[in-house]
Amino acid sequence: MKLTTALLTTAAAITLALSLSANAQEAQIRQALAERFPKLEKIDEVRATPLVGLYEVRIGTDLYYTDAKGDYVLHGNLIDAKSRRNLTQERVNKLLAVDFSTLPLKDAVTIVRGDGRRRLAIFEDPNCGYCKLLERSLQQVSDITVYLFLYPILNDDSTQKSRNIWCAKDKAGAWQDQMLRNKPAAAADCDTSALQRNLAFGAKHKITGTPTMIFANGSRVPGALDAQEVEKRLAEAAGGKSPSTP
C-alpha cells in the first residue's frame, strides 16, 4: 500500500511539473512573438506538435509554427511523411468544423428526399454556378434531409432572389426551380431576417464561399461534390468519423 501511494504521489508530481513546464514554454513563445511582431493579432493558442521542439501558434484558424524560443516562424503545411498526412489541414478542418446541433435550422429551407434519415446542411447563393452543379448531383442522392441556408454573398441580385425564394409559399420548390430550371421565383415580400442571421452565422464561422456543406459529424466541405462523393461523406458522417479523421 505504501509503495502504491508513493508511486501515485510521484506520478502526480511529474504531471504537475510537465504542466508547469508547458505553461512556461507557452508564455515564453507568446512573449517572444509579441516583442518581435508588435502588430501580431492576439494569439489564441500555443501547443506542441508531434515534432519535438516545434510549436503550433494559432491565431483564429490561421496556423504558424515556431521553435521553443520564438526565434523562427514558419507558415505552411506540416506533413507526416510516414503516413503522408497533412497535419496542418487536419487541424484546420477540426477548427472549422461546425457542431450540427448549433445550426439554426429554423432559418433554413428544408428539402426531404426518401426517408430523410441522413442530414446535410448547405450554405448556397442562388447565383452560384457551383451550387447549381451540386443541386444536380443531389438529385441522385436519396434518403436525405437537406437544410438549405440561403447565403446571398455574390451580388445584390443574389439578395433579391434569396428574398423571393424565402418568401415563396413553396420555398423548396422555388429553390429547385431557380437552380435546376433557371426559373426565378416571383417577387414577394415577407420577414427576411433569417437571411441576415444566415449571413451573421456564416461570418462567425468563416464561411466565405458557396456552396459550403456541413455534414452531421461537423465536417465541412467547400465547393461542389458529385453524387458519389456526397454518398461517401454521408456514410462517414453516419459512422461518427470526426473532421480530423484522415
Side-chain angles (χ1 to χ4, degrees):
M1 178 66 72
K2 290 183 179 180
L3 179 59
T4 301
T5 301
L7 289 173
L8 290 174
T9 301
T10 300
I14 292 173
T15 300
L16 177 60
L18 290 173
S19 177
L20 293 174
S21 175
N23 290 338
Q25 188 66 70
E26 176 181 342
Q28 181 179 351
I29 290 173
R30 285 178 180 271
Q31 181 179 350
L33 294 182
E35 290 174 353
R36 290 162 184 172
F37 301 98
K39 295 184 179 181
L40 188 69
E41 294 181 44
K42 177 181 176 295
I43 294 174
D44 294 302
E45 184 181 8
V46 175
R47 69 178 204 167
T49 72
L51 182 60
V52 176
L54 187 68
Y55 294 82
E56 175 196 291
V57 177
R58 180 174 68 83
I59 300 175
T61 56
D62 290 328
L63 303 181
Y64 301 85
Y65 301 99
T66 186
D67 63 301
K69 296 182 179 179
D71 289 338
Y72 299 93
V73 177
L74 299 172
H75 187 212
N77 291 320
L78 180 62
I79 308 294
D80 183 329
K82 291 183 179 179
S83 63
R84 298 185 181 180
R85 290 166 52 199
N86 186 330
L87 302 182
T88 301
Q89 189 59 57
E90 288 182 15
R91 176 83 166 120
V92 169
N93 289 346
K94 188 173 182 179
L95 291 170
L96 289 176
V98 177
D99 184 346
F100 206 91
S101 67
T102 68
L103 289 168
L105 301 183
K106 63 182 178 58
D107 293 333
V109 176
T110 303
I111 302 171
V112 181
R113 295 193 183 93
D115 61 23
R117 59 188 168 79
R118 302 182 296 179
R119 299 191 299 166
L120 171 63
I122 316 176
F123 286 75
E124 299 189 82
D125 185 302
N127 283 322
C128 165
Y130 287 107
C131 298
K132 293 179 180 180
L133 289 175
L134 176 61
E135 191 61 40
R136 294 190 188 99
S137 295
L138 290 175
Q139 301 306 302
Q140 305 170 47
V141 180
S142 60
D143 298 332
I144 186 174
T145 297
V146 175
Y147 298 101
L148 160 68
F149 289 88
L150 291 164
Y151 199 58
I153 59 174
L154 295 181
N155 52 48
D156 292 339
D157 183 54
S158 296
T159 300
Q160 186 59 49
K161 285 179 178 176
S162 295
R163 171 188 292 274
N164 293 340
I165 291 169
W166 182 253
C167 295
K169 289 184 179 180
D170 178 6
K171 295 179 175 62
W175 170 255
Q176 293 189 348
D177 277 345
Q178 171 68 54
M179 305 309 280
L180 297 175
R181 293 172 278 278
N182 200 30
K183 180 182 176 183
D189 286 311
C190 66
D191 179 3
T192 56
S193 56
L195 303 184
Q196 297 306 313
R197 290 193 293 271
N198 290 350
L199 291 171
F201 185 91
K204 176 183 177 182
H205 292 278
K206 295 189 175 182
I207 296 175
T208 57
T210 57
T212 292
M213 289 173 279
I214 299 172
F215 291 84
N217 63 345
S219 62
R220 167 172 161 174
V221 179
L225 300 179
D226 60 26
Q228 184 177 0
E229 187 62 26
V230 171
E231 288 283 4
K232 175 184 174 183
R233 301 274 182 163
L234 288 169
E236 289 175 353
K241 283 191 175 182
S242 69
S244 59
T245 302

